Amino acid sequence: MDAEIARIYTERQIKGLKPTYVMELLRLQAKGPMTITELAESVGRTHSALSQKVSAMRTAGLVRTVPGTDARSKKVTLTAKSKAIVELLAAEWRATEAAITELEAEIPYPMTQVVRDVEEALARKSFHDRIAEKLQGFEGDPSPKR
């Protein structure tokens, strides 16, 4: 689905934008400049993950960092490039939600339920533990057995 959303951006000649950046860009549009910590909390991510994402978005020319209220903090703010496309991003977000609702009406098992079920299963046993369990017996053998 992300690849299909990215095609929308490519068709509109928006360079450097990834679907995974949209939530943060919309949040910055709605709330104004924020520190990485504030932005991370507002989208439910870790500071480390957001710091990496902000760096990538800065490289893409979508955000910039400016000095914060003290010497230690920086605020993340939208660039002119992202300000020019943020209304399209908001419309795309709404269109994506509508497309998901339409798609879920066509299938017998809603994708949102799949996500909840996968999260519950992973809470019982992590994906890491599942992989590690399957790797038992392969120790010292670098070739996968398929």
Side-chain angles (χ1 to χ4, degrees):
M1 291 170 81
D2 276 355
E4 296 295 311
I5 295 169
R7 270 184 55 202
I8 299 291
Y9 307 149
T10 300
E11 290 168 358
R12 285 163 177 73
Q13 300 177 356
I14 303 170
K15 295 185 186 329
L17 179 63
K18 294 182 179 181
T20 57
Y21 299 164
V22 174
M23 184 185 300
E24 289 80 5
L25 295 174
L26 292 175
R27 196 61 48 90
L28 288 167
Q29 170 67 17
K31 296 194 175 209
M34 288 188 265
T35 66
I36 290 176
T37 299
E38 292 166 339
L39 185 56
E41 288 173 0
S42 78
V43 297
R45 301 286 187 256
T46 65
H47 181 279
S48 177
L50 246 294
S51 181
Q52 291 174 11
K53 187 180 278 192
V54 165
S55 178
M57 291 190 309
R58 191 173 41 238
T59 298
L62 297 166
V63 298
R64 63 189 175 95
T65 53
V66 296
T69 54
D70 62 50
R72 297 173 296 146
S73 69
K74 293 181 187 176
K75 294 266 187 176
V76 181
T77 186
L78 298 176
T79 63
K81 176 181 178 177
S82 58
K83 287 177 183 177
I85 61 170
V86 77
E87 291 305 318
L88 170 65
L89 299 182
E92 175 268 309
W93 189 278
R94 290 187 302 272
T96 298
E97 292 293 319
I100 288 171
T101 299
E102 178 183 283
L103 184 57
E104 284 191 335
E106 294 179 32
I107 58 177
Y109 197 76
M111 291 183 294
T112 51
Q113 184 63 48
V114 172
V115 171
R116 283 191 296 272
D117 290 348
V118 169
E119 286 173 342
E120 288 174 15
L122 292 174
R124 288 189 298 273
K125 185 192 299 185
S126 74
F127 198 55
H128 167 273
D129 290 350
R130 292 166 190 270
I131 294 169
E133 186 177 276
K134 303 298 181 217
L135 283 173
Q136 287 180 354
F138 288 98
E139 303 304 317
D141 182 2
S143 61
K145 305 231 184 324
R146 295 193 187 231

